Amino acid sequence: MNDVAAEAGVALKTVSRVVNHEPGVNTATAERVQAAIDRLGYRRNDGARTLRQGRTASIGLVIEDVADPFYSGLSRAVEDIALGHDYLVFTGSSGESPTRERDLVLAFCARRVDGLIIVPAGDDHEYLTPEVDAGIAAVFADRPPGTGPEADTVLCDNTGGSRAGVHHLIAHGHRRIAYVGDSPSIFTAAERLEGYRQALSAAGLPYDEGLVAMGPVDQGRVQADVERLLNSPDPPTALFTGNGRTTVASLRAFASFGPGGRRLGEPHGADVALVGFDDFELADLLKITVVAQDPVGLGRTAAELLFQRLSGDEDAPRRVELPTRLIDRGSGEVRPGA
Amino acid sequence: MNDVAAEAGVALKTVSRVVNHEPGVNTATAERVQAAIDRLGYRRNDGARTLRQGRTASIGLVIEDVADPFYSGLSRAVEDIALGHDYLVFTGSSGESPTRERDLVLAFCARRVDGLIIVPAGDDHEYLTPEVDAGIAAVFADRPPGTGPEADTVLCDNTGGSRAGVHHLIAHGHRRIAYVGDSPSIFTAAERLEGYRQALSAAGLPYDEGLVAMGPVDQGRVQADVERLLNSPDPPTALFTGNGRTTVASLRAFASFGPGGRRLGEPHGADVALVGFDDFELADLLKITVVAQDPVGLGRTAAELLFQRLSGDEDAPRRVELPTRLIDRGSGEVRPGA
DNA sequence: TTGAAAGCGCTAACAT
DNA sequence: ATGTTAGCGCTTTCAA
């Protein structure tokens, strides 16, 4: 900027005025400065700018894993809204590691992002208190924060969605419904289990622990659990799976049984009904009934909330819950013994 | 930092030394400074730091769409490598818009990212020349740059992969093979069409324009093209689809034909064979034979190349081509008229 | 309409 | 082992 000023024969401040399109610059002067800018290939350094201005026009997004379609949909929504506000986005995947979540968040804070959108991996967020006190806005998405500062939170209606999905199976005559889900330590998994219990209870059905299989979502564990459930003396006639990856793992388990084995519910000639929490690509072709969440809505809402805060909103922290939607595709509309 | 210095009764520079774990500070002094830091809740401002140091320890990643599984896999790989080097990542989706690609890249450059990884949407990259001249490293991924500065480029072996996929169909007896793909203006689409031609030519089969359907990947267009092809007087016995989204759209087209219509190739009782370029989740359950790319490898390689540049490598720009892998799953191993 | 000076928060280079 | 000074590139404030 100094060089440009020298080249154009004006003061530094005049260059700054031209670069920022501030009013009150003589057209001729402005042209002279612009010419110097072009000649020298000058481009403003936004880092220096934000240092002086005290805001960086950037936000940090910490999710579980960008490669997971649920979070990548959320990411895209956050990105679009941020870009619409002329903000840039730092993205980082925690991979369910609380340490990495914290490191990422603190690294973003050290860069003085104006705001954060966090899908928490851990449940201790005390580390955020000084940052929030220092003025960094934070919004939690998909899961609520643990200990630490109060903050806006956007969630799906996990319990309600799960209740609706299980109710759907009950309405189709099922009495023994298994729940296969993620580790109970994960917030959403616990909430969805609660919805399962509520639906059973509302229908006067007993809660049978033997029908509940929760744990890490890897093919081996899910497959073993599904096999064990179906081979038990009094097997379930329906499965409710607690998240997208579990649903897919269960489908692979069914596929592995081969032509002579148990088959997955289909409108014609099925033997086990299935409803999955969370929609996924090709669920339509596989005719899987699901309780759909809205990852894009989650990201959009979180980002909108954040930008409200950034424009000065000082109200009490909000908690928003987005509705889910049951999509009938066949696998959930099979009656027991059909 | 000034406040901390005052609180601890030392000079600014001593605080800086403690914060950066520079050697040569008396243990007692360091402890006093650390206590002041804790008392005041001081956290270093990395923005100011990078301004002074001349490097930002951040890179910019511009892809087509984070929500696309191919690019989200690539993203995750880039993220992991960047974080391993203590770099932060700005991410942005261009949505195939050359303007948005440019705006994102230039915004990243204005923040003085040290490097860029770009999946180009446009083919004019002249706008990058001043940035590269100014010392910002750039690596192109998935597609080569158009006009503009020379830069490292990491691609898939599009032509070779496509040739292998079509050859696979020919080896199973097919003589009339349709190619359904993305718009020919997209680099990868053109390359894959070329592989298709090469495979036909190598087998002495004619290239029939009537069997080629390229265009935007929306369900309506793909479906119309697939229907037109299959209902033509001399229909193809096999389909080669040019990317993941086209494959999925084609599968939906087949599904829409209903029980009495044409069916997709399966090992038993099929009538149209299918091989798709690009693997996708659940392709295994749907038994779709694919030519798999390696999005994670693409991201990893691009990031590694970039960090080599950032650590001073000044060699001539490199062009890396990653191999593809044919995965037999059934849909591509059906013989004509089976 | 234009400019001079101060300073955002930090580190590099050079004292002491 | 510690401190001083200058300056990264910009904007803010105030003056002309």
Side-chain angles (χ1 to χ4, degrees), chain A residues 110, chain B residues 1 4 12-25 30 33-34 37 42-50 52-53 55:
Chain B
M1 197 172 253
V4 174
L12 188 63
K13 178 68 218 189
T14 302
V15 179
S16 171
R17 286 205 177 89
V18 173
V19 167
N20 295 306
H21 307 103
E22 281 174 34
V25 179
V33 170
Q34 189 56 55
I37 287 174
Y42 167 80
R43 297 144 307 122
R44 180 177 66 195
N45 182 329
D46 276 359
R49 173 172 221 243
T50 62
R52 181 64 241 234
Q53 292 194 145
R55 42 147 256 168

Short mmCIF file of all heavy atoms in Angstrom, two decimals, chain A residues 110, chain B residues 1 4 12-25 30 33-34 37 42-50 52-53 55, chain C residues 9-13:
data_model
loop_
_atom_site.label_atom_id
_atom_site.label_comp_id
_atom_site.label_asym_id
_atom_site.label_seq_id
_atom_site.Cartn_x
_atom_site.Cartn_y
_atom_site.Cartn_z
N ALA A 110 -7.69 -18.96 18.44
CA ALA A 110 -6.41 -18.25 18.38
C ALA A 110 -6.34 -17.41 17.11
O ALA A 110 -5.68 -16.37 17.08
CB ALA A 110 -5.26 -19.24 18.43
N MET B 1 -0.71 -8.99 25.57
CA MET B 1 0.67 -9.37 25.89
C MET B 1 1.35 -8.28 26.71
O MET B 1 2.10 -8.54 27.64
CB MET B 1 1.46 -9.58 24.57
CG MET B 1 2.75 -10.36 24.76
SD MET B 1 3.50 -10.78 23.18
CE MET B 1 3.18 -12.52 23.08
N VAL B 4 0.05 -8.64 30.21
CA VAL B 4 0.71 -9.75 30.90
C VAL B 4 2.10 -9.30 31.37
O VAL B 4 2.50 -9.58 32.50
CB VAL B 4 0.83 -10.98 29.97
CG1 VAL B 4 1.66 -12.06 30.63
CG2 VAL B 4 -0.54 -11.51 29.60
N LEU B 12 7.74 -7.06 27.36
CA LEU B 12 6.90 -7.71 26.36
C LEU B 12 7.58 -8.95 25.78
O LEU B 12 6.97 -10.03 25.68
CB LEU B 12 6.66 -6.69 25.25
CG LEU B 12 5.67 -7.04 24.17
CD1 LEU B 12 4.29 -7.20 24.77
CD2 LEU B 12 5.66 -5.96 23.10
N LYS B 13 8.81 -8.78 25.40
CA LYS B 13 9.53 -9.83 24.70
C LYS B 13 9.66 -11.09 25.56
O LYS B 13 9.67 -12.21 25.04
CB LYS B 13 10.92 -9.32 24.32
CG LYS B 13 11.80 -10.33 23.62
CD LYS B 13 11.27 -10.65 22.25
CE LYS B 13 11.47 -12.13 21.94
NZ LYS B 13 11.18 -12.47 20.56
N THR B 14 9.75 -10.92 26.84
CA THR B 14 9.86 -12.09 27.72
C THR B 14 8.56 -12.88 27.69
O THR B 14 8.56 -14.12 27.66
CB THR B 14 10.18 -11.63 29.16
OG1 THR B 14 11.40 -10.90 29.12
CG2 THR B 14 10.33 -12.82 30.08
N VAL B 15 7.47 -12.18 27.68
CA VAL B 15 6.17 -12.87 27.57
C VAL B 15 6.14 -13.65 26.27
O VAL B 15 5.76 -14.83 26.23
CB VAL B 15 5.01 -11.86 27.61
CG1 VAL B 15 3.69 -12.59 27.49
CG2 VAL B 15 5.05 -11.04 28.89
N SER B 16 6.55 -12.99 25.19
CA SER B 16 6.58 -13.65 23.89
C SER B 16 7.43 -14.92 23.98
O SER B 16 7.05 -15.97 23.46
CB SER B 16 7.15 -12.69 22.85
OG SER B 16 7.38 -13.35 21.64
N ARG B 17 8.55 -14.81 24.66
CA ARG B 17 9.44 -15.98 24.78
C ARG B 17 8.73 -17.12 25.50
O ARG B 17 8.81 -18.28 25.09
CB ARG B 17 10.69 -15.59 25.56
CG ARG B 17 11.66 -14.74 24.74
CD ARG B 17 13.09 -14.87 25.23
NE ARG B 17 13.99 -14.08 24.38
CZ ARG B 17 14.28 -12.79 24.59
NH1 ARG B 17 13.78 -12.15 25.63
NH2 ARG B 17 15.08 -12.17 23.76
N VAL B 18 8.04 -16.79 26.56
CA VAL B 18 7.35 -17.83 27.33
C VAL B 18 6.24 -18.45 26.49
O VAL B 18 6.12 -19.68 26.40
CB VAL B 18 6.78 -17.24 28.64
CG1 VAL B 18 5.91 -18.27 29.34
CG2 VAL B 18 7.90 -16.77 29.53
N VAL B 19 5.46 -17.60 25.88
CA VAL B 19 4.34 -18.08 25.08
C VAL B 19 4.82 -19.03 23.98
O VAL B 19 4.16 -20.02 23.66
CB VAL B 19 3.56 -16.89 24.47
CG1 VAL B 19 2.60 -17.37 23.41
CG2 VAL B 19 2.83 -16.14 25.56
N ASN B 20 5.94 -18.71 23.39
CA ASN B 20 6.45 -19.52 22.28
C ASN B 20 7.45 -20.57 22.71
O ASN B 20 8.10 -21.19 21.87
CB ASN B 20 7.08 -18.60 21.23
CG ASN B 20 6.04 -17.70 20.63
OD1 ASN B 20 5.02 -18.17 20.14
ND2 ASN B 20 6.29 -16.40 20.69
N HIS B 21 7.56 -20.76 24.01
CA HIS B 21 8.48 -21.77 24.53
C HIS B 21 9.88 -21.60 23.95
O HIS B 21 10.55 -22.58 23.61
CB HIS B 21 7.96 -23.18 24.25
CG HIS B 21 6.56 -23.37 24.73
ND1 HIS B 21 5.47 -23.37 23.89
CD2 HIS B 21 6.06 -23.53 25.98
CE1 HIS B 21 4.36 -23.53 24.60
NE2 HIS B 21 4.69 -23.63 25.86
N GLU B 22 10.31 -20.36 23.84
CA GLU B 22 11.67 -20.12 23.38
C GLU B 22 12.62 -20.40 24.54
O GLU B 22 12.30 -20.12 25.69
CB GLU B 22 11.83 -18.67 22.92
CG GLU B 22 11.26 -18.43 21.53
CD GLU B 22 11.32 -16.95 21.17
OE1 GLU B 22 12.27 -16.26 21.58
OE2 GLU B 22 10.39 -16.49 20.47
N PRO B 23 13.78 -20.93 24.21
CA PRO B 23 14.74 -21.25 25.29
C PRO B 23 15.37 -19.97 25.81
O PRO B 23 15.26 -18.91 25.20
CB PRO B 23 15.78 -22.10 24.56
CG PRO B 23 15.72 -21.64 23.14
CD PRO B 23 14.31 -21.23 22.88
N GLY B 24 16.01 -20.09 26.93
CA GLY B 24 16.73 -18.94 27.47
C GLY B 24 15.89 -18.06 28.35
O GLY B 24 16.05 -16.84 28.35
N VAL B 25 14.94 -18.66 29.04
CA VAL B 25 14.17 -17.89 30.01
C VAL B 25 14.33 -18.56 31.37
O VAL B 25 14.16 -19.77 31.49
CB VAL B 25 12.67 -17.82 29.65
CG1 VAL B 25 11.91 -17.01 30.69
CG2 VAL B 25 12.49 -17.21 28.27
N ALA B 30 9.74 -17.49 34.01
CA ALA B 30 8.72 -18.15 33.17
C ALA B 30 7.49 -18.47 33.99
O ALA B 30 6.36 -18.27 33.54
CB ALA B 30 9.31 -19.42 32.56
N VAL B 33 5.51 -15.35 34.64
CA VAL B 33 4.78 -14.95 33.42
C VAL B 33 3.57 -15.86 33.22
O VAL B 33 2.46 -15.39 32.96
CB VAL B 33 5.71 -15.01 32.20
CG1 VAL B 33 4.92 -14.84 30.92
CG2 VAL B 33 6.80 -13.95 32.31
N GLN B 34 3.81 -17.15 33.37
CA GLN B 34 2.72 -18.11 33.16
C GLN B 34 1.56 -17.82 34.12
O GLN B 34 0.39 -17.89 33.75
CB GLN B 34 3.23 -19.54 33.36
CG GLN B 34 2.23 -20.61 32.94
CD GLN B 34 1.77 -20.43 31.50
OE1 GLN B 34 2.59 -20.37 30.58
NE2 GLN B 34 0.47 -20.29 31.29
N ILE B 37 -0.32 -14.94 32.86
CA ILE B 37 -1.12 -15.37 31.70
C ILE B 37 -2.42 -16.02 32.18
O ILE B 37 -3.51 -15.70 31.71
CB ILE B 37 -0.32 -16.36 30.83
CG1 ILE B 37 0.77 -15.62 30.06
CG2 ILE B 37 -1.23 -17.11 29.88
CD1 ILE B 37 1.71 -16.51 29.28
N TYR B 42 -4.92 -14.74 29.24
CA TYR B 42 -4.34 -14.30 27.97
C TYR B 42 -4.24 -15.46 26.97
O TYR B 42 -3.89 -16.57 27.33
CB TYR B 42 -2.94 -13.74 28.21
CG TYR B 42 -2.16 -13.55 26.94
CD1 TYR B 42 -2.37 -12.45 26.13
CD2 TYR B 42 -1.24 -14.51 26.53
CE1 TYR B 42 -1.67 -12.29 24.94
CE2 TYR B 42 -0.53 -14.36 25.34
CZ TYR B 42 -0.76 -13.25 24.56
OH TYR B 42 -0.07 -13.11 23.39
N ARG B 43 -4.57 -15.21 25.71
CA ARG B 43 -4.34 -16.17 24.64
C ARG B 43 -3.73 -15.44 23.45
O ARG B 43 -4.24 -14.40 23.05
CB ARG B 43 -5.66 -16.84 24.23
CG ARG B 43 -6.30 -17.65 25.35
CD ARG B 43 -7.82 -17.54 25.32
NE ARG B 43 -8.23 -16.14 25.31
CZ ARG B 43 -8.97 -15.57 24.38
NH1 ARG B 43 -9.41 -16.28 23.38
NH2 ARG B 43 -9.28 -14.29 24.45
N ARG B 44 -2.70 -16.00 22.93
CA ARG B 44 -1.99 -15.34 21.84
C ARG B 44 -2.90 -15.11 20.63
O ARG B 44 -3.73 -15.95 20.29
CB ARG B 44 -0.80 -16.22 21.40
CG ARG B 44 -0.01 -15.62 20.26
CD ARG B 44 1.18 -16.48 19.91
NE ARG B 44 0.76 -17.76 19.36
CZ ARG B 44 1.57 -18.81 19.24
NH1 ARG B 44 2.81 -18.74 19.66
NH2 ARG B 44 1.12 -19.93 18.72
N ASN B 45 -2.74 -14.00 19.98
CA ASN B 45 -3.49 -13.70 18.76
C ASN B 45 -2.68 -14.16 17.55
O ASN B 45 -1.71 -13.53 17.15
CB ASN B 45 -3.77 -12.19 18.69
CG ASN B 45 -4.59 -11.83 17.48
OD1 ASN B 45 -4.50 -12.46 16.45
ND2 ASN B 45 -5.40 -10.79 17.62
N ASP B 46 -3.12 -15.28 16.97
CA ASP B 46 -2.36 -15.85 15.85
C ASP B 46 -2.44 -15.02 14.59
O ASP B 46 -1.61 -15.15 13.69
CB ASP B 46 -2.85 -17.28 15.55
CG ASP B 46 -2.19 -18.30 16.47
OD1 ASP B 46 -1.35 -17.88 17.30
OD2 ASP B 46 -2.49 -19.50 16.36
N GLY B 47 -3.46 -14.18 14.53
CA GLY B 47 -3.57 -13.30 13.36
C GLY B 47 -2.42 -12.30 13.34
O GLY B 47 -1.76 -12.11 12.32
N ALA B 48 -2.17 -11.71 14.48
CA ALA B 48 -1.07 -10.75 14.59
C ALA B 48 0.26 -11.46 14.37
O ALA B 48 1.16 -10.96 13.70
CB ALA B 48 -1.09 -10.10 15.97
N ARG B 49 0.33 -12.65 14.93
CA ARG B 49 1.55 -13.43 14.79
C ARG B 49 1.88 -13.70 13.32
O ARG B 49 3.01 -13.47 12.87
CB ARG B 49 1.32 -14.76 15.52
CG ARG B 49 2.40 -15.77 15.33
CD ARG B 49 2.17 -16.94 16.25
NE ARG B 49 3.45 -17.34 16.79
CZ ARG B 49 3.99 -18.54 16.54
NH1 ARG B 49 3.33 -19.42 15.81
NH2 ARG B 49 5.15 -18.85 17.03
N THR B 50 0.89 -14.16 12.58
CA THR B 50 1.14 -14.49 11.18
C THR B 50 1.42 -13.24 10.36
O THR B 50 2.16 -13.29 9.39
CB THR B 50 -0.04 -15.27 10.56
OG1 THR B 50 -1.21 -14.44 10.61
CG2 THR B 50 -0.31 -16.55 11.30
N ARG B 52 3.11 -10.73 11.32
CA ARG B 52 4.52 -10.43 11.52
C ARG B 52 5.41 -11.47 10.84
O ARG B 52 6.43 -11.14 10.26
CB ARG B 52 4.80 -10.40 13.03
CG ARG B 52 6.21 -10.07 13.43
CD ARG B 52 6.57 -8.67 13.00
NE ARG B 52 7.68 -8.69 12.07
CZ ARG B 52 8.79 -8.00 12.22
NH1 ARG B 52 8.92 -7.19 13.24
NH2 ARG B 52 9.75 -8.10 11.35
N GLN B 53 4.99 -12.74 10.92
CA GLN B 53 5.87 -13.80 10.41
C GLN B 53 5.85 -13.95 8.90
O GLN B 53 6.74 -14.56 8.32
CB GLN B 53 5.47 -15.14 11.05
CG GLN B 53 5.78 -15.19 12.52
CD GLN B 53 5.71 -16.59 13.06
OE1 GLN B 53 6.46 -16.98 13.94
NE2 GLN B 53 4.79 -17.37 12.54
N ARG B 55 3.77 -15.76 7.19
CA ARG B 55 3.08 -16.94 6.71
C ARG B 55 1.91 -17.21 7.66
O ARG B 55 2.02 -16.95 8.87
CB ARG B 55 3.96 -18.18 6.58
CG ARG B 55 4.94 -18.41 7.74
CD ARG B 55 5.16 -19.89 7.98
NE ARG B 55 4.41 -20.30 9.16
CZ ARG B 55 4.21 -21.56 9.53
NH1 ARG B 55 4.66 -22.54 8.80
NH2 ARG B 55 3.53 -21.85 10.63
P DG C 9 -5.00 -5.42 20.59
OP1 DG C 9 -6.23 -6.06 21.07
OP2 DG C 9 -4.35 -4.36 21.37
"O5'" DG C 9 -3.90 -6.54 20.33
"C5'" DG C 9 -4.20 -7.61 19.47
"C4'" DG C 9 -2.91 -8.32 19.11
"O4'" DG C 9 -2.10 -7.45 18.31
"C3'" DG C 9 -2.03 -8.68 20.32
"O3'" DG C 9 -1.78 -10.07 20.26
"C2'" DG C 9 -0.78 -7.84 20.14
"C1'" DG C 9 -0.76 -7.65 18.64
N9 DG C 9 -0.04 -6.47 18.21
C8 DG C 9 0.06 -5.27 18.86
N7 DG C 9 0.78 -4.39 18.21
C5 DG C 9 1.19 -5.05 17.07
C6 DG C 9 1.99 -4.61 15.99
O6 DG C 9 2.51 -3.51 15.83
N1 DG C 9 2.15 -5.60 15.03
C2 DG C 9 1.62 -6.86 15.11
N2 DG C 9 1.89 -7.68 14.10
N3 DG C 9 0.86 -7.28 16.12
C4 DG C 9 0.69 -6.34 17.05
P DC C 10 -0.85 -10.83 21.26
OP1 DC C 10 -1.40 -12.16 21.44
OP2 DC C 10 -0.59 -9.97 22.41
"O5'" DC C 10 0.52 -10.97 20.45
"C5'" DC C 10 0.58 -11.91 19.40
"C4'" DC C 10 1.60 -11.49 18.38
"O4'" DC C 10 1.62 -10.06 18.28
"C3'" DC C 10 3.04 -11.82 18.71
"O3'" DC C 10 3.30 -13.15 18.29
"C2'" DC C 10 3.81 -10.82 17.87
"C1'" DC C 10 2.82 -9.70 17.63
N1 DC C 10 3.25 -8.37 18.13
C2 DC C 10 4.08 -7.60 17.34
O2 DC C 10 4.46 -8.04 16.25
N3 DC C 10 4.45 -6.37 17.77
C4 DC C 10 4.02 -5.92 18.95
N4 DC C 10 4.40 -4.69 19.33
C5 DC C 10 3.17 -6.70 19.79
C6 DC C 10 2.81 -7.92 19.34
P DT C 11 4.60 -13.86 18.85
OP1 DT C 11 4.38 -15.30 18.61
OP2 DT C 11 4.94 -13.35 20.18
"O5'" DT C 11 5.72 -13.34 17.83
"C5'" DT C 11 5.58 -13.64 16.44
"C4'" DT C 11 6.70 -12.98 15.68
"O4'" DT C 11 6.73 -11.55 15.98
"C3'" DT C 11 8.10 -13.48 16.04
"O3'" DT C 11 8.84 -13.46 14.83
"C2'" DT C 11 8.60 -12.44 17.02
"C1'" DT C 11 8.01 -11.18 16.39
N1 DT C 11 7.83 -10.01 17.31
C2 DT C 11 8.32 -8.79 16.91
O2 DT C 11 8.90 -8.61 15.87
N3 DT C 11 8.09 -7.78 17.81
C4 DT C 11 7.44 -7.86 19.03
O4 DT C 11 7.29 -6.88 19.74
C5 DT C 11 6.95 -9.17 19.36
C7 DT C 11 6.22 -9.37 20.65
C6 DT C 11 7.16 -10.19 18.50
P DA C 12 10.12 -14.35 14.64
OP1 DA C 12 9.71 -15.38 13.68
OP2 DA C 12 10.68 -14.71 15.95
"O5'" DA C 12 11.16 -13.37 13.94
"C5'" DA C 12 10.72 -12.48 12.91
"C4'" DA C 12 11.84 -11.49 12.63
"O4'" DA C 12 11.72 -10.36 13.53
"C3'" DA C 12 13.25 -12.04 12.82
"O3'" DA C 12 14.06 -11.53 11.77
"C2'" DA C 12 13.67 -11.55 14.19
"C1'" DA C 12 12.88 -10.24 14.32
N9 DA C 12 12.40 -9.98 15.67
C8 DA C 12 11.89 -10.89 16.56
N7 DA C 12 11.50 -10.36 17.70
C5 DA C 12 11.76 -9.01 17.54
C6 DA C 12 11.57 -7.91 18.40
N6 DA C 12 11.04 -8.01 19.62
N1 DA C 12 11.94 -6.69 17.94
C2 DA C 12 12.45 -6.59 16.71
N3 DA C 12 12.68 -7.55 15.81
C4 DA C 12 12.31 -8.76 16.30
P DA C 13 15.62 -11.81 11.72
OP1 DA C 13 15.98 -11.77 10.29
OP2 DA C 13 15.94 -12.99 12.54
"O5'" DA C 13 16.21 -10.53 12.46
"C5'" DA C 13 15.93 -9.23 11.96
"C4'" DA C 13 16.72 -8.23 12.77
"O4'" DA C 13 16.06 -8.03 14.05
"C3'" DA C 13 18.15 -8.68 13.08
"O3'" DA C 13 19.02 -7.59 12.87
"C2'" DA C 13 18.09 -9.11 14.54
"C1'" DA C 13 17.01 -8.16 15.08
N9 DA C 13 16.31 -8.66 16.26
C8 DA C 13 15.97 -9.96 16.54
N7 DA C 13 15.33 -10.10 17.68
C5 DA C 13 15.24 -8.81 18.19
C6 DA C 13 14.68 -8.28 19.36
N6 DA C 13 14.07 -9.04 20.29
N1 DA C 13 14.77 -6.95 19.56
C2 DA C 13 15.38 -6.20 18.62
N3 DA C 13 15.94 -6.58 17.48
C4 DA C 13 15.84 -7.90 17.32
#
